Amino acid sequence: MPQLQGRGRSPSLPAEVDRAILAVAPPRRRPAWAIFASSAAAVLAVAITLTFVAPAHADVVDAYSLALKGGDATEILRRCTAVKSPRKLDTIGNRFVAVDVYVEAGDRKLAAWQVEIGTDDRAAIVGVEGGEPAAYREPPTYDAKALQGGKIVLAAFTTGDAPTGRVRVARLHLMESAKVSLEGTVMAAAAPGGARFDAKVTLVRMGDAR
């Protein structure tokens, strides 16, 4: 029998008995409120990450979707229109021309669009204006460092009423040494709500001016 260590004190148990009791004792459960709080915090952290952190591959449709949720889409627009290592072109002469940029949306409403446009080394992009419909009258987002260069990415969206059909979304101003053939690609387009669809871009020279 274990010996009492003094009046009013509990008997001292051998170490092996302590280990045996602990081995069979049920694990201490966390309170329900603690489990709920941890789960809610994890869900909130994921929601914040998915909603407000701009992934590297995000485009204008992601920016538009974020704006619909009340977020600030500025950073996504900045990233998706950035031109990697833009270079200035040395053009000969001062021949200027304006080129209208159309996105062909067909019967869909054009709520968001992103276009890449390139020239050859005979022309530099020197200015960007907005388009014709009210939704796109302001100049689109673009990388200012791409001016004077031969490639630019334009992007814009509207959370209001979006136009349909052949939409003039922007106007470019070029300085060229000879008439050039522009190349344009629609990188992304979306209808209201964020549903992506295929579209094409048309570039129309408006004439020369000096």
Side-chain angles (χ1 to χ4, degrees), residues 16 29 32 39 44 52 64 72 75 91 105 118 125 137 156 162-163 177 180 184 191 200 202 209:
E16 60 269 20
R29 296 186 177 181
S39 300
L44 179 61
F52 294 103
Y64 168 65
D72 184 358
E75 178 62 16
T91 57
I125 301 166
R137 197 154 293 160
S177 57
V180 298
K200 69 176 183 177
T202 303

Side-chain angles (χ1 to χ4, degrees), residues 140-187:
T141 300
Y142 63 92
D143 187 349
K145 296 191 298 295
L147 292 179
Q148 306 290 331
K151 183 175 76 172
I152 199 166
V153 179
L154 311 174
F157 65 79
T158 178
T159 56
D161 188 29
T164 61
R166 190 172 190 248
V167 183
R168 183 165 72 83
V169 294
R171 175 173 288 174
L172 297 181
H173 293 277
L174 308 180
M175 182 173 67
E176 59 183 10
S177 57
K179 187 173 181 179
V180 298
S181 297
L182 299 176
E183 295 182 356
T185 303
V186 175
M187 304 175 72

Side-chain angles (χ1 to χ4, degrees), residues 4 7 21 24 29 80 93 103 114 123-124 127 136 138 156 188 201-202:
L4 296 179
R7 184 181 297 273
I21 292 173
V24 298
R29 296 186 177 181
C80 73
V103 173
Q114 181 176 334
Y136 298 123
E138 294 298 318
V201 59
T202 303

Side-chain angles (χ1 to χ4, degrees), residues 1-12:
M1 290 288 292
Q3 300 296 318
L4 296 179
Q5 301 301 311
R7 184 181 297 273
R9 296 184 180 179
S10 300
S12 176

Side-chain angles (χ1 to χ4, degrees), residues 78-171:
R78 186 191 68 79
R79 290 190 189 185
C80 73
T81 57
V83 176
K84 186 177 181 180
S85 302
R87 63 188 181 93
K88 284 189 174 183
L89 299 180
D90 294 325
T91 57
I92 301 173
N94 60 349
R95 182 185 179 92
F96 290 92
V97 63
V99 176
D100 280 343
V101 182
Y102 291 88
V103 173
E104 311 282 351
D107 58 357
R108 296 177 181 267
K109 288 192 172 185
L110 186 65
W113 60 272
Q114 181 176 334
V115 171
E116 179 180 301
I117 299 171
T119 72
D120 59 29
D121 286 352
R122 293 176 297 171
I125 301 166
V126 296
V128 180
E129 291 184 18
E132 182 177 5
Y136 298 123
R137 197 154 293 160
E138 294 298 318
T141 300
Y142 63 92
D143 187 349
K145 296 191 298 295
L147 292 179
Q148 306 290 331
K151 183 175 76 172
I152 199 166
V153 179
L154 311 174
F157 65 79
T158 178
T159 56
D161 188 29
T164 61
R166 190 172 190 248
V167 183
R168 183 165 72 83
V169 294
R171 175 173 288 174

